[in-house]
Amino acid sequence: MSSNNLTRDLTTGSPMKLIIRFATPMILGIILQQFYGLVDTMIVGQYLGKEALAGVGSTGSLNFIVLGFCMGICNGFSVIVAQFFGAKDEHNLRKSVANSIWLSVIIGVIVTALTSIFCRPILHLMNTPDSIYEYAAKYIFIIFLGIPCIILYNLSAAIIRALGDSRSPIIFLAIAAVLNIGLDMLFIGGLGMNVEGAAYATVLAQGISGACCVHFIRRRFSILKMNMDEMRPDTEIMRRLVGIGIPMGLQYSITGIGSVILQFSVNGLGDVSVAAMTTALKVHILLSCPLDGLGQSMAPYTGQNVGAKKLDRVGQGLRDALKISALICIILLIIVILFGSHAATLFLDKDKLAEEAPVIIRLSRQYLLTVTAFDFLVAIVNTVRFTIQGMGFSNFAMIAGLMEMLARSLAGLVLIPLLGFTGACLSSPLAWIFADAFLIPAYFWCKKKLSSEAQSTSAS
């Protein structure tokens, strides 16, 4: 295979050391990505008030359905890239990248058109309160128009990671983070724009970051220099890409449907509860970035080792990732116990909300403590699910998303009416329990099937 000091072979060496080295830049990248999303929320809450904050927050589940679908597809495409890289098949490696681009363009156009048209009716169906509806509609419409920018970054970054380079994407995310914060301050603080300023800032930052990734790939990855034949659409390669990418995308969307049902019920509790859950979710997502990065690193790690027929390293890598996750979960719980009560104060001006601020702070801390206490469950979900995806069984990961959807729907339709905000706090742990109950036996089935196929190939 062509030498390139930016690629990394994950099929040799200590699995734990490789995973730590590979996951660390990914974790930093996710933290940066969440950080500028957090800054969006902070600026909206501080400058524009509780209603605007709740409006942006109420779009979170809908945002997750659509953007999660796009990101899942990009990550799914990269699994095929990683498998060809692990198998040292340069020709099909380049064809898989080219066909990923073709498919991404088609999917991006379709998803952008559909979501832009239907975002307002969906917000009505979600029971979005009248006081925050316009804020939510303006924000999410602009985000959906920017879907091509989001796909551009996620596909290019996923391809870079599939080749073993998890460090370079963080540079472009750092650029995006600085740009996003600066544009937030310019659009909202300087030009007096409303929530649409935060949306424009996010889309522009993602687009610039994606363009930087593409330029970097063209200049630095000689292994991806294609001839005309490799650039043409290939039905067989597309079939493989769709077979992995679409289920991975649907996994996020199916999970998000449960979140929409949950958000419907939380919206019924009023804008104070929506604001509290918005702040707590933002903080928890930021805190759990190490678990997300560690989980996501398992897809390229597993993909390369499956491509190289080294299945014993897949199991060892998963065990090592779970050990690291357990330590991270303990640290996160300590942080939340000590500092969780300060989370909501980052987003709200307490002087403007003299009566409501204590309630928002109390509910936000309750949510944070509850979900963080069960974080090891989501650590299992992340590591096992991405391992299964790296094996090539993304349909199973989609079923796990269905289990999460059922759990969150149950929480929205039963727990919240019975327990109020406490039911919302229990929704994520319940979803993780449902997903783990499926994923753990599914992993052993997938590993057994791959082992059987490998033995059959050797015998023949």
Side-chain angles (χ1 to χ4, degrees):
M1 178 169 286
S2 301
S3 61
N4 193 311
N5 59 5
L6 292 176
T7 61
R8 176 178 293 170
D9 188 345
L10 303 176
T11 64
T12 58
S14 165
M16 179 170 281
K17 290 181 180 178
L18 285 170
I19 290 169
I20 291 174
R21 289 173 185 168
F22 190 81
T24 299
M26 290 186 67
I27 292 168
L28 293 175
I30 294 171
I31 289 173
L32 275 173
Q33 199 166 27
Q34 295 302 329
F35 175 72
Y36 68 74
L38 193 68
V39 171
D40 263 351
T41 308
M42 290 171 63
I43 292 174
V44 168
Q46 292 287 348
Y47 277 87
L48 303 177
K50 170 175 65 70
E51 288 79 13
L53 173 66
V56 172
S58 69
T59 67
S61 54
L62 179 57
N63 203 331
F64 182 78
I65 287 178
V66 177
L67 301 190
F69 175 74
C70 297
M71 290 186 284
I73 285 176
C74 294
N75 288 330
F77 292 166
S78 73
V79 169
I80 301 300
V81 175
Q83 289 180 353
F84 281 131
F85 181 76
K88 297 179 171 54
D89 185 345
E90 290 189 23
H91 176 62
N92 281 319
L93 168 67
R94 289 188 285 270
K95 290 183 72 172
S96 65
V97 171
N99 282 270
S100 295
I101 296 170
W102 285 114
L103 288 171
S104 295
V105 170
I106 296 169
I107 292 169
V109 170
I110 294 172
V111 174
T112 301
L114 291 176
T115 53
S116 300
I117 293 169
F118 293 108
C119 63
R120 281 182 173 266
I122 293 172
L123 287 173
H124 277 300
L125 291 174
M126 289 173 61
N127 196 31
T128 306
D130 291 340
S131 60
I132 64 175
Y133 175 82
E134 281 302 320
Y135 292 113
K138 290 177 181 177
Y139 179 82
I140 200 65
F141 178 71
I142 296 168
I143 292 293
F144 286 165
L145 286 179
I147 283 173
C149 294
I150 292 164
I151 290 179
L152 177 67
Y153 168 74
N154 281 281
L155 178 63
S156 54
I159 289 170
I160 293 172
R161 288 192 295 266
L163 299 178
D165 178 10
S166 61
R167 296 179 182 178
S168 299
I170 192 177
I171 299 173
F172 308 119
L173 266 180
I175 294 170
V178 173
L179 276 173
N180 195 80
I181 294 169
L183 291 172
D184 272 333
M185 297 302 297
L186 173 63
F187 293 156
I188 297 176
L191 300 179
M193 297 176 69
N194 213 294
V195 293
E196 61 266 31
Y200 284 129
T202 298
V203 169
L204 285 172
Q206 285 273 307
I208 293 171
S209 182
C212 290
C213 281
V214 171
H215 180 69
F216 178 78
I217 289 172
R218 289 172 60 87
R219 288 182 59 87
R220 302 298 297 273
F221 284 92
S222 58
I223 194 174
L224 294 182
K225 290 183 178 179
M226 307 172 193
N227 57 42
M228 290 302 297
D229 177 64
E230 291 166 339
M231 294 175 65
R232 293 191 182 98
D234 183 292
T235 54
E236 178 59 26
I237 294 290
M238 282 191 174
R239 185 191 63 79
R240 289 190 63 178
L241 291 167
V242 168
I244 297 291
I246 296 297
M248 283 183 70
L250 289 176
Q251 163 212 308
Y252 287 96
S253 295
I254 290 170
T255 303
I257 292 171
S259 298
V260 167
I261 296 172
L262 178 66
Q263 187 69 56
F264 175 89
S265 298
V266 173
N267 287 346
L269 298 176
D271 55 9
V272 169
S273 293
V274 175
M277 190 165 174
T278 297
T279 59
L281 273 172
K282 288 289 185 180
V283 173
H284 182 257
I285 289 172
L286 183 63
L287 289 175
S288 59
C289 284
L291 300 178
D292 293 336
L294 198 61
Q296 290 181 28
S297 69
M298 294 305 296
Y301 170 83
T302 304
Q304 285 196 23
N305 281 283
V306 168
K309 312 295 184 185
K310 297 183 177 180
L311 300 182
D312 57 321
R313 291 176 55 81
V314 173
Q316 182 60 53
L318 178 59
R319 289 190 294 272
D320 290 344
L322 288 173
K323 291 175 185 176
I324 301 167
S325 296
L327 177 61
I328 292 171
C329 289
I330 294 171
I331 295 171
L332 294 181
L333 183 58
I334 293 172
I335 291 172
V336 169
I337 290 172
L338 294 177
F339 305 108
S341 59
H342 301 291
T345 60
L346 297 172
F347 302 90
L348 299 167
D349 187 336
K350 292 192 291 184
D351 295 333
K352 295 180 181 178
L353 298 169
E355 296 181 0
E356 296 172 329
V359 179
I360 294 175
I361 291 170
R362 175 177 59 80
L363 293 177
S364 178
R365 185 175 189 274
Q366 178 188 352
Y367 185 93
L368 265 178
L369 278 173
T370 304
V371 295
T372 307
F374 291 94
D375 264 347
F376 190 63
L377 294 174
V378 75
I380 297 173
V381 172
N382 286 340
T383 51
V384 176
R385 181 168 59 197
F386 279 104
T387 298
I388 289 174
Q389 290 170 349
M391 290 176 169
F393 296 92
S394 57
N395 285 330
F396 280 4
M398 184 175 66
I399 296 173
L402 178 62
M403 301 298 289
E404 288 193 58
M405 183 201 75
L406 292 174
R408 287 196 166 88
S409 300
L410 180 65
L413 298 174
V414 179
L415 291 185
I416 292 178
L418 286 175
L419 303 175
F421 192 78
T422 300
C425 297
L426 294 172
S427 61
S428 288
L430 184 65
W432 301 334
I433 290 171
F434 273 48
D436 285 334
F438 173 79
L439 283 169
I440 293 172
Y443 161 75
F444 288 106
W445 186 91
C446 293
K447 188 175 181 182
K448 183 178 179 180
K449 183 172 177 59
L450 286 178
S451 297
S452 299
E453 290 175 354
Q455 290 173 3
S456 299
T457 302
S458 299
S460 61

